[in-house]
Amino acid sequence: MSTLDQLPVGSNATVASLTLTGNKRRRLLDLGFAPGSAVRALQESPWGDPVAYAVHGAVIALRREDAKRITLV
């Protein structure tokens, strides 16, 4: 299994699970990173962090630290 931070720009995947707890987990679920959701890596900042992802019709920028906690199918 891979994690969201390993998804190459331009690639699609499906969220399998989140290994976060508490408020961060709730926030990512509210943003659309729920299990079964399709996600696409859109763009990486010039310094490599954060990365922009498309999920449920929105563009969300996540730090790699948080993206490492999202497991993909």
Side-chain angles (χ1 to χ4, degrees), residues 2-23:
S2 63
T3 56
L4 187 58
D5 68 305
Q6 298 170 338
L7 187 65
V9 171
S11 298
N12 298 319
T14 302
V15 174
S17 64
L18 281 75
T19 60
L20 293 160
T21 59
N23 290 336

Side-chain angles (χ1 to χ4, degrees), residues 8-54:
V9 171
S11 298
N12 298 319
T14 302
V15 174
S17 64
L18 281 75
T19 60
L20 293 160
T21 59
N23 290 336
K24 278 193 174 188
R25 177 182 174 82
R26 171 66 16 216
R27 180 70 176 143
L28 289 176
L29 289 170
D30 289 345
L31 290 171
F33 292 96
S37 297
V39 63
R40 179 177 178 86
L42 296 177
Q43 187 176 9
E44 186 177 72
S45 76
W47 300 277
D49 197 21
V51 177
Y53 299 97

